[in-house]
Amino acid sequence: MSSSSELTLAEGIKNRRSLHVLSDDVKVPDSRVEEILRHAILHSPSPFNCQSGRAVLLVKEEHKKFWDMAFEVAKAAVAPPIFAAAYEPRIKLFRAAYGTILFYDDPAPVNAIAEKRPLLKDHLPQWMDHANGMLQYAVWTMLAAEGLGCNLQHYNPMVNARASELWNIPDTWLLRAQMVFGTPAGPPMLEKQFEPVEKRLFTYGK
């Protein structure tokens, strides 16, 4: 997959951050974002290559429609003081960005594997979660390499039914996360702190 970015993979991984202050003034064309999504969906691993990951790309007014819907749903579901303090300002922040990617899993291919391999039935849901996380990470890293900022949200399950209705998404699909993206318009909310790698990486046999 061609790209204008000169970043190495290691640099792309390092530069990926959670950025919440984003604008909708995006120079990266929608076709490039679609290309990134196609590449990640095609090549990200999944258990037994079941390819259960799904993505729905919302940009411009469709993106804003999603967060308007999330605002309405959260306001109806959450106590007013909590909504005013935690939900309202964050949703307005997300709405100001350019796009949102809805990440789903289609359980049908995983269920088909479970029927063929019943001994793995209890493990497959967890492996499907792992696969979707890898898909999200691949997309996030590639968007960051294009100069876009992202953050990952989890307004599921409160938005599931409305999202399915608004964008004709099968109600059997499982909504996993919402990735908000746009042009970085401010620094990260928190400075990243690193625990010593020596506490987290162990090598034996060398």
Side-chain angles (χ1 to χ4, degrees):
M1 184 182 70
S2 61
S3 171
S4 60
S5 173
E6 297 297 328
L7 292 178
T8 66
L9 177 59
E11 288 170 336
I13 291 171
K14 180 180 178 180
N15 291 343
R16 184 216 57 79
R17 291 294 308 274
S18 291
L19 297 175
H20 293 79
V21 183
L22 304 169
S23 85
D24 59 4
D25 183 16
V26 169
K27 306 304 182 187
V28 179
D30 295 343
S31 59
R32 178 59 178 163
V33 178
E34 289 179 303
E35 183 182 14
I36 286 170
L37 283 167
R38 285 195 297 268
H39 190 81
I41 288 172
L42 190 62
H43 297 293
S44 292
S46 59
F48 297 94
N49 195 35
C50 69
Q51 303 172 61
S52 54
R54 306 286 185 266
V56 176
L57 174 61
L58 307 175
V59 297
K60 302 170 185 171
E61 291 307 313
E62 294 299 304
H63 155 82
K64 297 187 186 302
K65 182 192 298 184
F66 177 86
W67 290 106
D68 287 342
M69 176 270 289
F71 185 96
E72 295 173 6
V73 171
K75 187 174 183 180
V78 178
I82 298 175
F83 176 80
Y87 284 83
E88 184 172 8
R90 291 177 65 85
I91 291 175
K92 288 181 177 179
L93 201 62
F94 305 145
R95 189 185 188 278
Y98 179 78
T100 298
I101 303 165
L102 309 180
F103 287 95
Y104 285 88
D105 273 318
D106 180 357
V110 176
N111 293 338
I113 294 171
E115 291 179 5
K116 296 177 181 178
R117 301 173 183 266
L119 290 177
L120 301 178
K121 181 178 180 180
D122 293 337
H123 300 286
L124 286 166
Q126 183 184 51
W127 297 344
M128 183 169 61
D129 284 346
H130 295 169
N132 204 285
M134 287 187 280
L135 171 60
Q136 295 167 30
Y137 185 71
V139 171
W140 195 340
T141 302
M142 287 191 283
L143 290 178
E146 296 291 328
L148 294 171
C150 304
N151 60 77
L152 196 65
Q153 302 304 318
H154 300 88
Y155 280 73
N156 41 298
M158 69 169 63
V159 299
N160 291 20
R162 289 289 306 279
S164 294
E165 176 186 336
L166 288 171
W167 290 284
N168 196 30
I169 298 165
D171 57 13
T172 55
W173 288 12
L174 307 173
L175 181 58
R176 301 303 195 186
Q178 304 87 52
M179 185 175 292
V180 182
F181 67 93
T183 297
M189 287 187 171
L190 297 173
E191 287 299 319
K192 185 179 285 188
Q193 303 295 323
F194 295 94
E195 288 292 319
V197 175
E198 292 76 15
K199 292 183 178 180
R200 300 186 286 161
L201 172 64
F202 306 92
T203 302
Y204 299 93
K206 68 176 183 178

